[in-house]
Amino acid sequence: MNGSVAVRVAGQDVATVPPVLDGELVDETTAGRVPWRRRLAMWWRQSPRVPMAFKSRSHAKQAAKDLAVALLRSPFRCLRAVARGLVVAVRWWRAWVKVADYREAAEQSEKLADKFGDIRALTLFRWKVTGVVTGVVAAVVAVVHLLYGNDPLWIAAGVGSVAAAILGRRKDGSPGRKPVLAGPRTLTWTMDPQVLVDAFRDAKLIGKDETLRLVERARRIGEGWAVTVDLPATRKAADVVKNREALASALAVDEVQLNVERVRGNGGHAGRVALWVADTDPYVTPPVRTPLLAVQRWDAWRPVPFGRDARGRRIDLPLVWTSLLIGAIPRQGKTMAARLAAAGLILDPYCRLYLADFKGGKDWEAARAVAHRFMAGDESAHVLALVDWLVELVAEVQGRYARMRDLDDLTCPESKVTPDMSRDSELDMPVTAIVIDEVQVPLEDRTPVVVQGKRLTAGEYIGELLTWLAKKGPAAGIVLVLATQRPDSKTIPSGLRAVLGSRFALRVMDWRDSNIVLGEQMNTRGYDSSRLLPSHKGVGILRPDGETHAGADVLALTVRTFYMPNEDWKEINQKGRALREAERTLTGHAAGQDTAPVLDHAAVAKAIGTGTRQAAEAAPVVELPEPLASVVDYLGDDLDEGGRGFVPTAELVEALDVDPTMFGRQMGELNCRPDRKRVPAEDGTVRQVRGYLTADLRAAVDACRAAEGEGGIVDADVIEDED
């Protein structure tokens, strides 16, 4: 409308309404030109010509600290430079007087005897020149002193000191600058760029003619130095992570002091590496108690405080919508790690806990006060009770999905439990955690059970139930926390390991056990928990399923768990019980209501497909001989049809860490003969290498099965993917 409109309002005079205009909201900063101040600020932040000290407050503080240190060190550095300059000058004068260049030329031409007389005469002449010059200088100094006093002499001494300092400045390759026999290498440098480049070259991570680009200057973070660098073109950050031990050796530090991370996301790329070097072993200090002691309650939907990395950053572990597997040899802190994961859930009064302790000790005894279901022991009766628990939980998950279908999109936007849904008592969908310590005990139990007419062992049935819960349970609010001191392929089914999102591996015996916990080929990526020191209790490699304080794109990191002794564990459980009593959410065992689970084995067996799985029926399990078992374990799904067709021998020898000659002899005894194939190399060329056809490896597996007798099968945990 282009003009005003007159309208009559009831009971009033005519009112004039202003025109109604159509328009669109336009941002001036985007529609017009960018103001010059903003362009200047953008250039200032992004320009490589502007020093980092003028871009951010943290870099300015670090630059001020560096300047203060340089000023304090400058007198001593100047004295050392003058001394080195005097030494260099004396050495140069000595070589000149002795006619060293003439003598060397005569020696190389094998005419030293013929030229000896000339060399002697020239040496005497230069000694005379030295004496005359010394006398003249002494006379000039005396005359100047008599005529002008000491001031000219002090000026001359200052000029000479500056000249000597310039002559004595440190330069690579200069004579007399490097001792023939050096002392021990120590971390006395402060991430000097040239030292860092030399270390990368010594570790063979870059070539002799290649260098690094400094992304962020070296600065102090915690008790160590941090620096971010870009590798040369075609060099990969993953190789630096994999060869962390070689780089630590080049830097003269223990590998536990060196933290190497690939920088990913918008601020990184495949060749950007972030380094942090600790001054000392970061794990020798006393452990830190869990921060959960200082809180009155916790939200299970928040990541649980789990530990600290080498840099002192707190690492929180997400638990909802994922599962956790903890593996270690005895007395390395496995139960402590599992209790830390459960502690955050205990302090949430709306969380329901199923806790099974197959160690049968007192580690979990305090959790009786909060657990919906609790048991401790390692008898067959306890294993069968766990079967009933899992059957109950499978039915519970099916019921939750059925109830979700009837909810509106506002209450349940997706087929997932939300925080509001988990706290609604009418919906009855609380976050439910099933914690099993020493899970290898029920998984190895041979007690026979019958499911839909099929005869299985209790361990096999529990493995299938846990696998189903790990696959479908997280979206329905089910959290699995499994801890084992026997992380091998025969104990934990590979199908179960493959669906457990978060992994935590404390020290284990060898790289195979580490890979079983962390995932296939993690040792080749630089993550091997068998290399952890026995003295580092509670230190392990965490592979989180979700974002941590170290970043969302971190594949794995070394973490030292928080410390939670029994008195702290009891205090947390007492808080958890008080919270449940206040919210009236105390149920099951903790409330004195040990009711038997409501079971429907037929429906559960149909849901998880037990009736269709025939591999677990009474067929005997066959163990493959070495080294074939390790080869099959290493290849995983690559051994199946449709996977890799050829595996180089060099790759297998390096991955398995075996002697090549012995490996070839043992594989030949198993009727696995090497073949030659032409494969592309990293530089684009094609070369011929020796290796094994995966078809021949599968034939060897079948031959081992046939050798064990009719009906034998190879252990499914050995031939399936370890991740």
Side-chain angles (χ1 to χ4, degrees):
M1 298 179 63
N2 298 324
S4 301
V5 178
V7 298
R8 181 176 296 275
V9 182
Q12 297 181 7
D13 295 335
V14 176
T16 301
V17 180
V20 180
L21 304 177
D22 294 334
E24 181 180 357
L25 183 63
V26 179
D27 189 354
E28 291 182 359
T29 60
T30 58
R33 296 184 58 188
V34 179
W36 67 270
R37 290 187 180 88
R38 185 176 178 184
R39 282 185 291 161
L40 178 61
M42 293 174 59
W43 173 85
W44 187 272
R45 289 194 301 267
Q46 299 176 3
S47 175
R49 297 180 180 87
V50 179
M52 293 297 296
F54 299 121
K55 293 183 180 181
S56 67
R57 183 175 299 177
S58 60
H59 287 91
K61 290 181 179 179
Q62 185 63 41
K65 294 178 182 179
D66 294 344
L67 180 60
V69 172
L71 291 176
L72 292 174
R73 295 176 57 187
S74 58
F76 304 100
R77 295 180 61 185
C78 182
L79 290 176
R80 287 196 298 267
V82 171
R84 287 194 301 268
L86 293 176
V87 172
V88 171
V90 170
R91 288 181 175 177
W92 175 83
W93 167 81
R94 185 168 178 270
W96 177 77
V97 167
K98 295 180 66 175
V99 200
D101 52 348
Y102 195 4
R103 182 185 296 272
E104 291 177 0
E107 289 178 351
Q108 292 178 359
S109 62
E110 298 181 355
K111 295 182 179 180
L112 180 60
D114 299 336
K115 302 293 184 179
F116 184 78
D118 297 338
I119 293 174
R120 179 65 176 173
L122 188 56
T123 300
L124 292 175
F125 173 75
R126 291 185 176 181
W127 270 109
K128 292 176 182 179
V129 171
T130 300
V132 172
V133 171
T134 302
V136 171
V137 170
V140 171
V141 169
V143 172
V144 171
H145 178 67
L146 290 174
L147 296 178
Y148 302 102
N150 293 329
D151 292 344
L153 299 182
W154 283 112
I155 294 174
V159 173
S161 299
V162 172
I166 295 174
L167 182 63
R169 68 187 186 278
R170 292 187 179 276
K171 294 189 298 182
D172 292 340
S174 299
R177 309 297 167 87
K178 294 183 179 180
V180 177
L181 183 62
R185 295 179 298 139
T186 57
L187 192 63
T188 56
W189 45 269
T190 56
M191 298 298 286
D192 182 82
Q194 187 57 47
V195 173
L196 199 60
V197 172
D198 292 341
F200 271 79
R201 289 173 179 169
D202 294 340
K204 295 181 172 54
L205 296 174
I206 61 175
K208 293 183 178 180
D209 299 329
E210 294 177 328
T211 186
L212 304 173
R213 289 191 61 188
L214 192 64
V215 179
E216 292 184 5
R217 60 175 299 169
R219 63 190 188 278
R220 293 287 297 182
I221 294 181
E223 299 296 326
W225 287 90
V227 64
T228 303
V229 297
D230 277 348
L231 301 175
T234 73
R235 298 287 183 174
K236 297 179 292 185
D239 294 335
V240 180
V241 177
K242 177 181 177 181
N243 296 280
R244 181 172 62 95
E245 187 175 357
L247 181 59
S249 174
L251 292 173
V253 297
D254 193 274
E255 56 265 30
V256 298
Q257 296 176 241
L258 177 62
N259 184 26
V260 182
E261 297 177 358
R262 174 185 169 185
V263 182
R264 308 194 67 174
N266 294 330
H269 54 79
R272 180 163 292 180
V273 181
L275 304 174
W276 184 81
V277 184
D279 299 333
T280 57
D281 187 346
Y283 304 120
V284 297
T285 57
V288 179
R289 288 197 169 186
T290 174
L292 289 176
L293 292 172
V295 302
Q296 294 303 317
R297 64 189 297 162
W298 194 260
D299 186 356
W301 292 84
R302 292 176 57 190
V304 178
F306 192 67
R308 293 181 178 272
D309 65 359
R311 297 169 60 169
R313 298 175 296 185
R314 196 179 90 175
I315 303 300
D316 294 346
L317 181 64
L319 289 177
V320 179
W321 289 346
T322 185
S323 303
L324 174 64
L325 173 63
I326 303 172
I329 59 177
R331 295 177 299 280
Q332 291 298 317
K334 166 182 53 64
T335 300
M336 183 80 69
R339 292 201 308 196
L340 285 167
L345 306 177
I346 290 173
L347 291 178
D348 187 339
Y350 297 98
C351 185
R352 186 177 295 169
L353 287 172
Y354 286 64
L355 207 154
D357 177 17
F358 285 96
K359 184 186 294 183
K362 60 183 296 185
D363 294 328
W364 295 91
E365 196 66 22
R368 288 180 179 271
V370 295
H372 177 72
R373 296 199 181 277
F374 181 91
M375 67 176 174
D378 57 357
E379 304 295 333
S380 297
H382 298 96
V383 175
L384 296 177
L386 177 62
V387 172
D388 293 342
W389 289 9
L390 298 179
V391 170
E392 180 186 36
L393 285 173
V394 171
E396 172 68 16
V397 171
Q398 290 179 300
R400 291 188 181 189
Y401 281 123
R403 297 198 298 274
M404 287 182 200
R405 289 196 298 267
D406 298 332
L407 297 176
D408 58 81
D409 292 342
L410 183 62
T411 305
C412 183
E414 304 176 19
S415 294
K416 294 181 180 179
V417 172
T418 64
D420 292 336
M421 293 170 59
S422 68
R423 300 185 183 100
D424 191 336
S425 59
E426 294 182 359
L427 294 178
D428 192 24
M429 297 185 188
V431 173
T432 302
I434 171 72
V435 182
I436 307 177
D437 197 3
E438 306 295 352
V439 70
Q440 77 278 355
V441 174
L443 288 173
E444 293 179 339
D445 191 90
R446 311 304 295 176
T447 303
V449 295
V450 179
V451 182
Q452 280 193 320
K454 302 296 182 181
R455 189 179 182 87
L456 304 174
T457 65
E460 292 166 344
Y461 193 30
I462 288 174
E464 294 182 1
L465 291 169
L466 288 174
T467 302
W468 190 92
L469 287 172
K471 288 179 179 178
K472 300 191 66 176
I478 305 299
V479 178
L480 265 67
V481 179
L482 309 179
T484 178
Q485 65 177 356
R486 196 178 303 167
D488 55 55
S489 59
K490 301 173 188 176
T491 299
I492 305 179
S494 59
L496 174 59
R497 293 194 306 272
V499 292
L500 295 173
S502 297
R503 319 285 186 87
F504 185 59
L506 295 109
R507 194 171 73 91
V508 295
M509 293 305 297
D510 60 18
W511 62 269
R512 298 179 185 86
D513 295 340
S514 177
N515 282 353
I516 286 171
V517 179
L518 296 175
E520 184 64 28
Q521 299 185 18
M522 285 294 288
N523 67 312
T524 63
R525 303 182 190 181
Y527 303 103
D528 184 359
S529 63
S530 66
R531 294 180 176 271
L532 298 173
L533 298 180
S535 59
H536 290 164
K537 305 294 184 182
V539 178
I541 299 176
L542 175 64
R543 187 179 183 183
D545 183 15
E547 184 175 358
T548 65
H549 283 66
D553 300 314
V554 175
L555 176 62
L557 65 161
T558 303
V559 175
R560 185 183 191 181
T561 59
F562 288 120
Y563 182 57
M564 186 191 294
N566 279 335
E567 55 268 23
D568 295 349
W569 172 243
K570 292 178 181 178
E571 180 181 345
I572 287 176
N573 281 277
Q574 291 170 1
K575 288 182 181 180
R577 183 178 180 88
L579 290 170
R580 283 165 172 78
E581 290 175 345
E583 298 290 345
R584 297 182 179 179
T585 56
L586 197 65
T587 59
H589 179 87
Q593 303 168 357
D594 278 328
T595 57
V598 179
L599 307 177
D600 187 355
H601 286 283
V604 171
K606 182 178 180 181
I608 67 175
T610 302
T612 62
R613 187 172 185 252
Q614 303 297 328
E617 295 186 33
V621 175
V622 177
E623 293 188 19
L624 295 176
E626 291 290 349
L628 184 58
S630 298
V631 172
V632 174
D633 183 29
Y634 169 72
L635 293 177
D637 281 343
D638 289 339
L639 190 61
D640 299 335
E641 294 186 9
R644 299 175 62 180
F646 180 78
V647 186
T649 303
E651 176 185 345
L652 294 176
V653 169
E654 180 181 2
L656 303 181
D657 192 19
V658 295
D659 179 69
T661 304
M662 182 63 67
F663 177 76
R665 182 183 301 112
Q666 292 175 339
M667 292 295 286
E669 294 174 354
L670 297 173
N671 295 324
C672 285
R673 306 296 179 185
D675 198 356
R676 288 186 177 272
K677 290 285 185 180
R678 299 182 66 85
V679 297
E682 294 182 357
D683 55 1
T685 61
V686 178
R687 56 193 182 92
Q688 193 172 33
V689 299
R690 291 173 62 88
Y692 294 90
L693 298 173
T694 54
D696 294 343
L697 296 175
R698 289 195 298 271
V701 171
D702 295 338
C704 292
R705 178 180 58 188
E708 291 293 331
E710 187 67 18
I713 63 171
V714 178
D715 186 358
D717 296 339
V718 177
I719 64 175
E720 292 179 8
D721 183 12
E722 294 299 333
D723 193 12

